[in-house]
């Protein structure tokens, strides 16, 4: 049976960690959900791991719609989250809505947008019109040039309190999920405690309601630089299915991420 937003909210309430991975095609969608992955994130990381670019910035709406459709074809149980690519939502809430509608029509159950306070009105506009939104804060890869590289965020008191405020404002505006990337584990725990919506972490420690990794990173096949928070689950695994099952087990048991993966 297909997982719904309510099922995922219940998992958070019951303290059952949510296992998410990025996914870009139908074959992997079937494999990942068969191995127990709850959320398939059609990430704009496809610009890097599928297209070989150095950033996610050139990914288009057409490409996101295409990959979302592929994932939706292969999935029958998992909840599908799709990234809104750079330039598809920042201009105004109306444009964000028409682009989000394309992703939902392609099979996504939720869209993800990057940014804190400046995105609050857009989150409200989408949520009020029936579009479930995951807000992504911390290291937001679409802002890589403004951030001066892929760097850990929230390390100073000022940054930490800004992220706490952003999270509260995004939840109040109607965000259904919060994704936190590359922030100190302690701060991610504090933010998770302060919210009633689930949080998904990537490089945000184990106190989040769930975890996500980029598929090509956890399979050890991305040729680029690996972040500290990545674990290669193919090491010691007999097959891709095995590696993914191991990832799901470690997320559910709280063994992943370990302190060696946490800032
Ligand atoms: O695009 C993506 O894969 C993401 C993850 C880094 C969470 O947004």
């Amino acid at each position: 049976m297909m997982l719904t937003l309510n099922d995922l909210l219940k998992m958070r309430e019951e303290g059952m960690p949510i296992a998410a991975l990025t996914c870009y095609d139908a074959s992997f969608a079937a494999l990942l959900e068969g191995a127990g992955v709850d959320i398939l994130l059609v990430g704009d990381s496809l610009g890097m791991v599928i297209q070989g670019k150095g950033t996610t910035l050139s990914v288009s709406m057409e490409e996101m719609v295409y990959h979302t459709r592929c994932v939706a074809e292969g999935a029958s149980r998992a909840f599908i989250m799709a990234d809104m690519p750079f330039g598809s939502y920042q201009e105004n809430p109306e444009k964000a809505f028409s682009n989000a509608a394309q992703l939902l029509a392609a099979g996504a159950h939720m869209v993800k947008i990057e940014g804190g306070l400046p995105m609050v009105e857009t989150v409200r506009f989408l949520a009020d019109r029936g579009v479930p939104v995951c807000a992504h804060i911390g290291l937001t890869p679409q802002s890589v040039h403004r951030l001066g590289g892929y760097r850990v965020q929230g390390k100073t008191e000022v940054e930490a309190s800004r992220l706490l405020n952003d999270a509260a404002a995004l939840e109040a505006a109607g965000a259904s999920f919060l994704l936190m990337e590359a922030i100190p584990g302690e701060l991610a725990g504090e933010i998770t405690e302060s919210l009633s919506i689930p949080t998904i972490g990537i490089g945000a420690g184990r106190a989040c309601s769930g975890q996500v990794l980029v598929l090509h990173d956890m399979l050890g096949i991305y040729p680029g630089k690996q972040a500290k928070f990545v674990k290669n689950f193919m090491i010691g695994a007999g097959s891709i299915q095995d590696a993914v099952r191991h990832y799901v087990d470690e997320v559910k048991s709280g063994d992943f991420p370990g302190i060696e993966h946490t800032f």
Side-chain angles (χ1 to χ4, degrees), residues 137-139 150-154 180-184 201-204 229 263:
I137 62 169
L139 169 53
Y150 297 107
R151 317 155 78 93
V152 184
Q153 304 294 306
M180 299 184 280
E181 178 165 355
I183 66 170
I202 174 163
F229 54 75
F263 299 108

Side-chain angles (χ1 to χ4, degrees), residues 22 24 41 43-45 83 112 114 136 141 179 181 202 212 214:
T22 66
Y24 317 98
L41 167 62
D44 61 355
S45 50
D83 264 337
K112 177 162 79 59
E114 296 184 8
H136 179 158
L179 189 143
E181 178 165 355
I202 174 163
V212 65
V214 171

Side-chain angles (χ1 to χ4, degrees), residues 12-254:
R12 184 212 151 125
E13 273 162 31
E14 292 173 353
M16 168 58 74
I18 298 164
L21 281 176
T22 66
C23 184
Y24 317 98
D25 67 46
S27 301
F28 266 109
L31 185 153
L32 299 185
E33 68 170 21
V37 175
D38 303 306
I39 298 178
L40 304 177
L41 167 62
V42 189
D44 61 355
S45 50
L46 70 86
M48 299 171 79
V49 301
I50 303 283
Q51 299 172 341
K53 303 269 171 50
T55 72
T56 59
L57 296 172
S58 61
V59 176
S60 67
M61 264 310 294
E62 290 69 27
E63 289 161 350
M64 288 309 303
V65 166
Y66 171 77
H67 286 279
T68 300
R69 208 177 279 134
C70 292
V71 169
E73 282 298 324
S76 54
R77 171 191 166 271
F79 190 81
I80 301 173
M81 190 186 284
D83 264 337
M84 298 199 66
F86 184 60
S88 70
Y89 61 93
Q90 290 90 345
E91 211 172 306
N92 58 60
E94 289 79 6
K95 182 168 174 187
F97 180 81
S98 64
N99 284 324
Q102 288 188 52
L103 292 171
L104 294 195
H109 304 126
M110 179 178 284
V111 299
K112 177 162 79 59
I113 69 178
E114 296 184 8
L117 275 190
M119 286 302 121
V120 160
E121 281 322 308
T122 299
V123 169
R124 195 188 316 282
F125 192 90
L126 295 177
D128 284 352
R129 285 158 184 77
V131 179
V133 181
C134 174
H136 179 158
I137 62 169
L139 169 53
T140 45
Q142 293 175 10
S143 304
V144 58
H145 297 313
R146 188 157 170 276
L147 297 174
Y150 297 107
R151 317 155 78 93
V152 184
Q153 304 294 306
K155 287 202 293 190
T156 66
E157 257 181 54
V158 172
E159 279 181 19
S161 90
R162 184 175 50 77
L163 288 171
L164 269 158
N165 288 339
D166 285 354
L170 291 160
E171 175 174 45
S176 299
F177 263 82
L178 184 75
L179 189 143
M180 299 184 280
E181 178 165 355
I183 66 170
E186 207 176 309
L187 172 62
E190 207 184 321
I191 292 174
T192 299
E193 279 291 301
S194 73
L195 301 178
S196 54
I197 56 174
T199 60
I200 304 288
I202 174 163
R206 62 166 61 132
C208 301
S209 326
Q211 301 292 330
V212 65
L213 280 178
V214 171
L215 178 64
H216 293 56
D217 286 342
M218 62 81 71
L219 294 179
I221 56 172
Y222 180 58
K225 192 169 168 258
Q226 288 298 355
K228 169 187 165 98
F229 54 75
V230 169
K231 176 170 174 180
N232 179 351
F233 283 86
M234 278 306 284
I235 294 172
S239 65
I240 292 175
Q241 280 90 340
D242 240 26
V244 177
R245 260 186 240 116
H246 190 192
Y247 166 74
V248 172
D249 288 349
E250 288 207 359
V251 169
K252 300 277 178 193
S253 65

